[in-house]
Amino acid sequence: MAHVRFDRVSKSYPGGHQALTDLSFELAQGEMAFLTGHSGAGKSTLLKLIMLMEKASQGQVLVDGVNLARVANSQIPYHRRRVGVVFQNHQLLFDRSVFENVALPLRISGYTSRDLERRVRAALDKVGLLSKEKQNPIELSGGEQQRVGIARAVVNKPSLILADEPTGNLDPKLSGEIMGLFEQFNGVGVSVLVASHDLALINRMDYRVIGLNQGRLAGERAAGGVRG
Amino acid sequence: MAKPSASNQQSRVTMQSQGSAYIQHHKLMAVDSLKRLLAAPAASLMTWLVLAIALSLPMTLYVALENVKQLSRNWDQSSQISVYLKKGVMSRFADELTAEIADFPNVSSAVYISPEQALKEFSVSTGLSDVIFGLDDNPLPGVISVIPRLNSQDENGLEQLQQKLEALRHVDSVQLDLIWVKRLYQFMELGQRLVWALAALLGLAVLLIIGNTIRLSIENRRDEIRVVKLVGGTDAFVRRPFLYTGLWFGLGGGIIAWILLSIGLFWLSGPVEQLISLYGSDFSLKGLGFSDSLLLIFDGVILGWLGAWLAVSRHLSTIEP
């Protein structure tokens, strides 16, 4: 079964802006794929629909076979706990330590201190920031901040990770490291969907690419299509 | 549905650990929100003072009213009914009548004051003995002074007693010296309603003050709320720190109000007791009892919590990721 499935989805905003038009695609369980397109092509809207930050105007979005249109408002938080998200501006909170930033999803899900500490340290270790857990994220570099964001996205062990321009502000070397992290998560069975317009980076990696143009599917390239 | 192994491990939290995590988070939020208040001591103190003043005003009026009530209870017991006898009633009949009245179930005592006795008392108390000696005839009637066994709740009882006395032989008229007591009761009834009205208005003010303060703190933590909602925080989770903030505001306001009131009472008690003692009463100013104090502080807490709740439910829905 597809992990994420868009079935003829359209999204228009009040005021008439058509963000997505008649879009259909599937992301398989355990698949990693890129979502590309110019800014305004609808990448962010697509991710927001999966996160239930927006609801489709037409068509159906299914995650794990659940039609998101049928998810009651009170159930939205529980849906979001099953999806890890990474943002371009990483959305960290600067009033607390790196540790507390990463711990937030676990506190929300109801973990006790002991479990929580173990998991937070494991996530920070995975992104190579275990030594900086007590620092405030504002003291970290851009690449490190993004890695904290990733640690927060994976600390709850979601089966699906979404990333919206995760390398937007980073140089090629750091970008490569970040993508490497996503590859690692994908390697243990997590489905990953990365929105990015960094074509150079995408072309270096051998994954499926879904192209969007003005809210429509503009073309797909299957994995394995990259030459040496 | 075949899920990858990663998702099977995700969110595996037992009910028990979830419960203790819930309590842990409550503690965390309670401490955290208090720390935030204390981190801005001047602003918090100002809010606390405003709340304290709003809380203490109706309570002050309430205490004043309680004291007047206590004072009037003494007067209430000394209230009496004067039964004026017709002129020329012989003292033998008057004595019989007095004994009869004294046997009434709702009469505590009855004393006959003869016209001669009354005249003597009158001349002594007024110093007009010369004038009185100049009179040919004693103008005063015989009076039976009746002290009713008063049940303060039962106003009709007094009137019935009055009617019963009026119907007796030899009785000219019955004077109930209670009209002013009744008036006092009316005033106190009015005062009580005033307390309620004031309490309602100022309670509303407390709600608005706290609501506005919480609204500001929601604005300040907009980013945090957005992130919490994004990573799956429920509304209850998002609401929690703000409810605790409101609770701390209310508790602080209540305690300061109590302190203000206690200082005020202490300051007033000396002069008030001196004043009352001039009237020969051993009245002592009644302060805030334990239950009243608890009520005051509890009201503060409830209003604080409620104000926060209103503000949060109004403003939280506008912050969506």
XYZ file of all heavy atoms in Angstrom, chain A residues 1 3 29-30 51 53 64-65 74 77-78 80-82 85 87 91-93 95-96 100 104-105 107-113 119 152 156-159 188-190, chain B residues 1-7 9-14 16-18 20-22 24-25 28 36 221 223-235 237 320-321:
642
model
N 0.837 -1.208 0.000
C 0.000 0.000 0.000
C 0.870 1.257 0.000
O 1.924 1.286 0.619
C -0.894 0.012 1.254
C -1.750 1.257 1.336
S -2.604 1.331 2.905
C -3.808 0.047 2.671
N 2.237 4.758 0.954
C 2.285 5.460 2.232
C 1.516 6.777 2.129
O 0.705 7.106 2.981
C 3.742 5.713 2.616
C 3.929 5.984 4.069
N 5.097 5.789 4.723
C 3.059 6.436 4.998
C 4.965 6.114 5.995
N 3.719 6.503 6.185
N 5.569 2.869 0.576
C 6.143 2.647 1.900
C 7.649 2.521 1.778
O 8.155 1.763 0.946
C 5.609 1.342 2.498
C 4.152 1.365 2.882
C 3.913 2.056 4.217
O 4.825 2.638 4.795
N 2.673 2.016 4.684
N 8.383 3.245 2.555
C 9.838 3.107 2.569
C 10.534 3.753 1.388
O 11.729 3.583 1.194
N 0.429 17.237 6.135
C 0.516 17.554 7.573
C -0.822 17.991 8.157
O -0.931 18.293 9.340
C 1.497 18.697 7.795
C 2.948 18.285 7.752
S 3.305 17.037 8.950
C 3.262 18.008 10.446
N -2.084 20.789 7.674
C -2.072 22.225 7.966
C -3.065 22.905 7.036
O -3.486 24.030 7.267
C -0.666 22.790 7.746
C 0.315 22.343 8.821
S 2.014 22.345 8.252
C 2.406 24.075 8.320
N -1.168 6.378 4.946
C -1.383 5.055 5.556
C -2.806 4.570 5.312
O -3.404 3.925 6.174
C -1.127 5.107 7.073
C 0.350 4.973 7.386
O 1.072 4.363 6.574
O 0.775 5.492 8.433
N -3.361 4.917 4.159
C -4.702 4.466 3.822
C -5.822 5.251 4.475
O -6.997 4.968 4.265
N -9.959 17.127 16.330
C -9.341 16.697 17.589
C -8.295 15.606 17.353
O -7.470 15.332 18.210
C -10.418 16.189 18.545
O -11.072 15.087 17.956
N -3.699 16.422 15.945
C -2.409 16.292 16.633
C -1.841 14.884 16.562
O -0.635 14.716 16.374
C -2.741 16.658 18.082
C -3.920 17.538 17.977
C -4.709 17.038 16.801
N -2.701 13.870 16.662
C -2.213 12.490 16.656
C -1.710 12.098 15.274
O -0.781 11.307 15.138
C -3.304 11.557 17.171
C -3.750 11.972 18.549
C -4.880 12.751 18.747
C -2.965 11.645 19.658
C -5.248 13.184 20.002
C -3.330 12.071 20.921
C -4.474 12.837 21.089
O -4.812 13.263 22.339
N -0.279 14.247 13.249
C 1.004 14.929 13.074
C 2.139 14.230 13.803
O 3.290 14.313 13.398
C 0.897 16.380 13.562
C 0.064 17.231 12.615
C 0.015 18.672 13.047
N -0.861 19.422 12.147
C -1.513 20.521 12.497
N -1.384 21.003 13.710
N -2.284 21.150 11.631
N 1.802 13.543 14.898
C 2.849 12.845 15.643
C 3.445 11.703 14.833
O 4.523 11.217 15.134
C 2.275 12.280 16.950
C 1.993 13.374 17.956
C 1.362 12.814 19.211
N 0.711 13.895 19.952
C 0.051 13.707 21.079
N -0.037 12.499 21.597
N -0.520 14.734 21.694
N 2.706 11.251 13.829
C 3.201 10.122 13.033
C 4.046 10.589 11.851
O 4.548 9.769 11.087
C 2.012 9.289 12.527
C 1.327 8.516 13.638
C 0.380 7.484 13.079
N -0.818 8.101 12.539
C -1.926 8.303 13.256
N -1.972 7.931 14.517
N -2.969 8.874 12.704
N 8.551 16.466 10.456
C 8.718 17.539 9.459
C 9.993 18.330 9.722
O 10.312 18.633 10.863
C 7.589 18.596 9.502
C 7.145 18.942 8.112
C 6.477 18.161 10.393
N 11.861 21.935 8.385
C 11.562 23.163 7.644
C 12.840 23.856 7.201
O 13.897 23.672 7.801
C 10.779 24.138 8.528
C 9.530 23.567 9.067
C 9.517 22.916 10.283
C 8.351 23.659 8.351
C 8.370 22.371 10.791
C 7.196 23.118 8.850
C 7.200 22.471 10.075
N 12.450 26.287 12.397
C 11.433 26.472 13.436
C 11.882 25.998 14.815
O 11.132 25.330 15.518
C 10.139 25.720 13.063
C 9.539 26.140 11.760
C 8.475 27.193 11.905
O 8.430 27.892 12.909
N 7.637 27.336 10.910
N 13.093 26.364 15.186
C 13.546 26.009 16.541
C 13.107 27.102 17.513
O 12.829 28.231 17.121
C 15.070 25.869 16.568
C 15.634 24.758 15.681
C 17.147 24.737 15.778
C 15.056 23.402 16.050
N 13.057 26.733 18.792
C 12.679 27.707 19.820
C 13.936 28.157 20.545
O 14.684 27.336 21.084
C 11.691 27.068 20.801
C 10.398 26.614 20.139
C 9.544 25.830 21.116
C 9.618 27.805 19.609
N 14.177 29.932 23.207
C 14.076 30.170 24.657
C 14.431 28.914 25.446
O 14.192 28.842 26.643
C 12.673 30.656 25.019
C 11.612 29.607 24.753
O 11.919 28.618 24.059
O 10.482 29.769 25.230
N 14.971 27.900 24.771
C 15.319 26.670 25.482
C 16.485 25.974 24.789
O 16.847 26.323 23.676
C 14.103 25.757 25.558
C 13.558 25.374 24.205
C 12.174 24.798 24.317
N 11.192 25.857 24.575
C 9.926 25.646 24.862
N 9.483 24.432 24.987
N 9.103 26.640 25.046
N 15.979 20.476 24.917
C 14.535 20.691 25.099
C 13.816 20.845 23.765
O 12.663 20.453 23.626
C 14.287 21.911 25.984
C 14.425 21.627 27.475
C 13.512 20.500 27.954
O 12.368 20.410 27.478
O 13.966 19.690 28.779
N 10.724 18.195 22.721
C 9.339 18.693 22.645
C 8.324 17.661 22.129
O 7.297 17.430 22.785
C 9.315 19.983 21.812
C 7.996 20.733 21.783
C 7.617 21.225 23.179
C 8.068 21.915 20.827
N 8.588 17.005 20.983
C 7.585 16.035 20.510
C 7.351 14.902 21.507
O 6.237 14.383 21.596
C 8.203 15.492 19.214
C 9.175 16.528 18.791
C 9.710 17.137 20.045
N 7.662 15.115 24.868
C 6.852 15.633 25.984
C 5.385 15.649 25.569
O 4.497 15.335 26.356
C 7.296 17.045 26.348
C 8.704 17.106 26.911
C 8.852 18.242 27.921
N 10.225 18.370 28.385
C 10.797 17.593 29.302
N 10.097 16.622 29.872
N 12.054 17.770 29.651
N 5.154 16.036 24.326
C 3.785 16.093 23.823
C 3.174 14.697 23.778
O 2.011 14.501 24.121
C 3.774 16.756 22.429
C 4.027 18.251 22.582
C 2.477 16.482 21.704
C 4.286 18.970 21.295
N 3.980 13.716 23.351
C 3.447 12.360 23.232
C 3.336 11.657 24.565
O 2.783 10.565 24.636
C 4.337 11.528 22.309
O 4.353 12.085 21.025
N 3.881 12.244 25.620
C 3.716 11.659 26.945
C 4.809 10.685 27.327
O 4.534 9.592 27.820
N 6.053 11.052 27.111
C 7.160 10.215 27.588
C 7.630 10.700 28.946
O 7.622 11.892 29.223
C 8.335 10.283 26.606
C 8.150 9.412 25.397
C 7.409 9.860 24.313
C 8.676 8.135 25.347
C 7.215 9.066 23.201
C 8.487 7.326 24.242
C 7.756 7.799 23.175
O 7.565 6.990 22.091
N 8.055 9.756 29.773
C 8.613 10.149 31.065
C 10.102 10.462 30.889
O 10.714 10.084 29.897
C 8.470 9.017 32.094
O 8.904 7.819 31.472
C 7.033 8.870 32.535
N 10.659 11.135 31.891
C 12.016 11.666 31.788
C 13.040 10.647 31.302
O 13.839 10.938 30.425
C 12.466 12.179 33.147
O 11.641 13.225 33.535
N 15.942 8.767 24.357
C 15.575 8.972 22.958
C 16.152 10.264 22.390
O 16.576 10.323 21.235
C 14.049 9.030 22.834
C 13.431 7.666 22.931
C 12.104 7.676 22.233
N 11.528 6.361 22.206
C 10.666 5.958 21.283
N 10.294 6.797 20.351
N 10.173 4.759 21.298
N 14.724 16.691 15.924
C 13.381 16.845 16.473
C 12.354 16.104 15.621
O 11.386 15.541 16.144
C 13.014 18.336 16.553
C 11.712 18.569 17.280
C 11.334 20.037 17.295
N 11.104 20.521 15.954
C 11.016 21.812 15.646
N 11.142 22.736 16.571
N 10.800 22.182 14.402
N 10.616 11.051 17.496
C 9.404 10.281 17.791
C 9.307 9.031 16.922
O 8.303 8.344 16.923
C 8.179 11.177 17.546
C 7.128 10.996 18.601
O 7.246 10.119 19.456
N 6.086 11.790 18.546
N 10.367 8.765 16.155
C 10.425 7.634 15.226
C 9.220 7.593 14.296
O 8.452 6.609 14.293
C 10.559 6.315 15.999
C 11.811 6.292 16.835
C 12.232 4.890 17.176
C 13.580 4.905 17.869
N 13.927 3.636 18.472
N 9.047 8.624 13.526
C 7.915 8.624 12.586
C 8.207 7.681 11.423
O 9.363 7.385 11.138
C 7.868 10.082 12.114
C 9.277 10.554 12.206
C 9.880 9.836 13.385
N 7.151 7.224 10.768
C 7.347 6.349 9.617
C 7.430 7.172 8.336
O 7.720 6.636 7.276
C 6.197 5.352 9.518
O 4.964 6.048 9.473
N 16.541 2.750 6.981
C 15.912 1.881 7.989
C 14.401 1.809 7.798
O 13.668 1.462 8.712
C 16.235 2.330 9.434
C 17.721 2.167 9.722
C 15.792 3.769 9.679
N 13.935 2.159 6.591
C 12.533 1.900 6.268
C 11.595 3.076 6.378
O 10.387 2.937 6.215
N 12.143 4.251 6.663
C 11.278 5.423 6.789
C 11.025 6.020 5.404
O 11.953 6.156 4.613
C 11.942 6.487 7.695
C 11.067 7.723 7.800
C 12.217 5.899 9.071
N -2.633 -3.741 7.398
C -1.759 -2.698 6.887
C -0.313 -2.985 7.317
O -0.017 -3.057 8.491
C -2.186 -1.355 7.442
C -1.694 -0.220 6.614
S -2.009 1.354 7.395
C -3.643 1.144 8.063
N 0.546 -3.173 6.345
C 1.939 -3.464 6.673
C 2.719 -2.182 6.859
O 2.892 -1.403 5.929
C 2.559 -4.299 5.550
N 3.110 -1.960 8.074
C 3.898 -0.760 8.345
C 5.351 -1.167 8.525
O 5.629 -2.269 8.980
C 3.418 -0.097 9.639
C 2.148 0.691 9.480
C 1.916 1.442 10.765
C 0.588 2.158 10.741
N 0.394 2.908 11.958
N 6.249 -0.298 8.207
C 7.651 -0.608 8.484
C 7.907 -0.627 9.981
O 7.146 -0.073 10.758
C 8.419 0.533 7.811
C 7.438 1.635 7.679
C 6.100 0.996 7.553
N 9.009 -1.298 10.322
C 9.272 -1.519 11.743
C 9.382 -0.208 12.507
O 9.021 -0.120 13.674
C 10.566 -2.313 11.902
O 11.625 -1.565 11.338
N 9.857 0.819 11.825
C 10.037 2.094 12.506
C 8.732 2.589 13.100
O 8.692 3.116 14.213
C 10.594 3.129 11.543
N 7.626 2.401 12.354
C 6.370 2.966 12.835
C 5.788 2.138 13.962
O 4.988 2.617 14.747
C 5.382 3.080 11.684
O 4.657 1.890 11.576
N 7.408 0.994 16.441
C 8.013 1.399 17.700
C 7.553 2.793 18.118
O 7.648 3.165 19.267
C 9.534 1.432 17.551
C 10.121 0.039 17.534
C 11.613 0.102 17.309
O 12.220 1.149 17.468
N 12.185 -1.018 16.947
N 7.084 3.518 17.123
C 6.797 4.914 17.368
C 5.631 5.069 18.346
O 4.645 4.347 18.298
C 6.465 5.566 16.026
C 6.085 7.014 16.087
C 4.623 7.192 15.789
O 3.990 6.340 15.236
N 4.118 8.321 16.217
N 5.773 5.990 19.264
C 4.707 6.314 20.206
C 4.229 5.115 21.007
O 3.061 5.008 21.324
C 3.500 6.931 19.494
O 3.861 8.164 18.965
N 5.147 4.201 21.276
C 4.715 3.094 22.123
C 4.869 3.528 23.582
O 5.916 3.415 24.186
C 5.530 1.844 21.842
C 5.069 0.663 22.678
C 5.869 -0.565 22.346
N 5.452 -1.136 21.071
C 6.088 -2.170 20.515
N 7.140 -2.673 21.077
N 5.651 -2.655 19.377
N 3.807 4.061 24.096
C 3.832 4.598 25.453
C 2.724 3.907 26.222
O 1.580 3.912 25.804
C 3.580 6.127 25.447
C 3.751 6.683 26.834
C 4.509 6.818 24.477
N 3.077 3.307 27.349
C 2.048 2.620 28.116
C 1.152 3.641 28.815
O 1.529 4.796 28.998
C 2.673 1.719 29.187
O 3.385 2.557 30.084
C 3.619 0.712 28.580
N 0.346 3.736 31.864
C 0.894 4.149 33.157
C 1.933 5.245 32.980
O 1.893 6.271 33.653
C 1.515 2.936 33.846
C 1.815 3.194 35.308
C 2.571 2.032 35.914
O 2.888 1.066 35.232
N 2.867 2.121 37.172
N 2.856 5.013 32.032
C 3.896 6.023 31.850
C 3.297 7.297 31.271
O 3.758 8.391 31.545
C 5.006 5.486 30.965
O 4.624 5.550 29.614
N 2.223 7.147 30.490
C 1.561 8.323 29.951
C 0.962 9.150 31.089
O 1.048 10.367 31.086
C 0.453 7.894 28.983
C -0.049 9.040 28.135
C -0.114 8.667 26.674
O -0.430 7.528 26.333
N 0.177 9.591 25.802
N 1.995 9.228 34.249
C 3.008 9.927 35.038
C 3.662 11.030 34.214
O 4.065 12.050 34.764
C 4.041 8.925 35.565
O 4.724 8.334 34.497
N 3.718 10.847 32.897
C 4.252 11.915 32.058
C 3.315 13.117 32.073
O 3.761 14.266 32.044
C 4.428 11.423 30.623
N 2.017 12.818 32.148
C 1.014 13.874 32.206
C 1.203 14.717 33.465
O 1.243 15.944 33.422
C -0.364 13.214 32.178
C -1.537 14.142 32.267
C -1.954 14.856 31.147
C -2.233 14.303 33.458
C -3.034 15.705 31.220
C -3.322 15.152 33.539
C -3.709 15.845 32.419
O -4.783 16.693 32.493
N 3.918 14.828 35.219
C 5.221 15.464 35.100
C 5.110 16.764 34.295
O 5.694 17.786 34.653
C 6.162 14.495 34.388
C 7.626 14.735 34.663
C 8.474 13.614 34.087
O 8.192 13.114 32.995
N 9.492 13.203 34.802
N 4.348 16.695 33.218
C 4.214 17.897 32.390
C 3.464 18.998 33.130
O 3.787 20.171 33.002
C 3.502 17.561 31.080
C 3.493 18.715 30.126
N 2.359 19.443 29.848
C 4.506 19.312 29.441
C 2.672 20.409 29.007
N 3.953 20.363 28.741
N 5.907 20.530 35.421
C 6.858 21.297 34.616
C 6.250 22.643 34.217
O 6.885 23.695 34.335
C 7.184 20.484 33.364
C 8.540 20.726 32.713
C 9.639 20.239 33.623
C 8.598 19.989 31.381
N 8.364 32.239 34.677
C 8.197 33.300 33.680
C 7.633 34.562 34.315
O 8.010 35.675 33.968
C 7.267 32.833 32.556
C 7.969 31.983 31.519
C 6.949 31.394 30.552
N 7.535 30.323 29.774
C 8.071 30.483 28.570
N 8.079 31.679 27.999
N 8.597 29.465 27.920
N 4.388 34.248 22.658
C 4.821 32.859 22.478
C 4.185 32.242 21.245
O 4.013 31.027 21.160
C 4.486 32.059 23.743
C 5.252 32.566 24.946
C 4.786 31.940 26.219
N 5.244 30.570 26.346
C 4.999 29.827 27.417
N 4.324 30.320 28.426
N 5.427 28.590 27.474
N 5.354 31.788 18.229
C 6.211 30.822 17.526
C 6.168 29.470 18.211
O 6.059 28.430 17.565
C 7.664 31.318 17.508
C 7.817 32.513 16.588
O 6.911 32.727 15.762
O 8.828 33.231 16.723
N 6.253 29.533 19.534
C 6.263 28.287 20.295
C 4.968 27.512 20.075
O 4.974 26.300 19.875
C 6.436 28.628 21.778
C 6.528 27.399 22.651
C 6.549 27.760 24.117
O 6.802 28.935 24.433
O 6.296 26.866 24.933
N 3.851 28.248 20.117
C 2.561 27.591 19.935
C 2.483 26.932 18.566
O 2.023 25.798 18.425
C 1.416 28.614 20.118
C 1.367 29.093 21.559
C 0.090 28.011 19.705
C 0.449 30.254 21.790
N 2.991 27.655 17.554
C 2.943 27.112 16.207
C 3.759 25.815 16.131
O 3.308 24.815 15.568
C 3.457 28.149 15.213
C 2.955 27.880 13.828
C 3.152 29.017 12.867
N 4.348 29.773 13.139
C 4.366 31.101 13.223
N 3.254 31.773 13.088
N 5.488 31.735 13.450
N 4.951 25.841 16.701
C 5.804 24.651 16.647
C 5.163 23.495 17.402
O 5.136 22.360 16.927
C 7.205 24.965 17.216
C 8.011 23.686 17.369
C 7.938 25.936 16.318
N 4.621 23.798 18.581
C 3.987 22.737 19.381
C 2.836 22.102 18.602
O 2.678 20.883 18.562
C 3.495 23.295 20.733
C 2.576 22.305 21.418
C 4.681 23.607 21.636
N 2.045 22.948 17.932
C 0.930 22.395 17.153
C 1.450 21.562 15.983
O 0.863 20.538 15.629
C 0.052 23.531 16.631
C -0.889 24.094 17.690
C -1.951 24.966 17.069
C -2.995 25.380 18.089
N -4.082 26.157 17.479
N 2.577 22.005 15.421
C 3.138 21.290 14.273
C 3.628 19.900 14.634
O 3.516 18.974 13.836
C 4.324 22.076 13.713
C 4.019 22.908 12.489
C 5.245 23.663 12.063
C 3.541 22.000 11.360
N 4.221 19.765 15.813
C 4.746 18.453 16.164
C 3.709 17.629 16.931
O 4.057 16.647 17.569
C 6.075 18.543 16.949
C 7.143 19.175 16.089
C 5.913 19.319 18.237
N 2.442 18.046 16.861
C 1.375 17.192 17.352
C 0.886 17.489 18.750
O 0.348 16.611 19.412
N 1.086 18.723 19.206
C 0.564 19.102 20.515
C -0.952 19.280 20.452
O -1.458 19.921 19.537
N -1.655 18.686 21.411
C -3.105 18.873 21.450
C -3.417 20.268 21.991
O -2.544 20.942 22.536
C -3.763 17.841 22.381
O -3.135 17.958 23.655
C -3.587 16.435 21.855
N -4.673 20.674 21.841
C -5.073 21.985 22.364
C -4.840 22.053 23.872
O -4.416 23.081 24.399
C -6.546 22.264 22.048
C -6.722 22.658 20.591
O -5.691 22.881 19.922
O -7.872 22.729 20.126
N -2.582 20.586 25.586
C -1.155 20.742 25.829
C -0.744 22.201 25.629
O 0.029 22.748 26.421
C -0.389 19.843 24.864
C 1.082 19.771 25.134
C 1.603 18.790 25.948
C 1.952 20.700 24.561
C 2.956 18.727 26.192
C 3.310 20.633 24.804
C 3.810 19.653 25.618
N -2.448 29.009 13.829
C -2.363 27.694 13.220
C -1.043 27.631 12.474
O -0.599 28.626 11.909
C -3.535 27.486 12.251
C -4.844 27.119 12.938
C -4.783 25.787 13.657
O -3.970 24.933 13.265
O -5.544 25.616 14.636
N -0.409 26.480 12.474
C 0.855 26.382 11.734
C 0.634 26.547 10.230
O -0.440 26.264 9.745
C 1.358 24.984 12.071
C 0.170 24.232 12.519
C -0.742 25.216 13.156
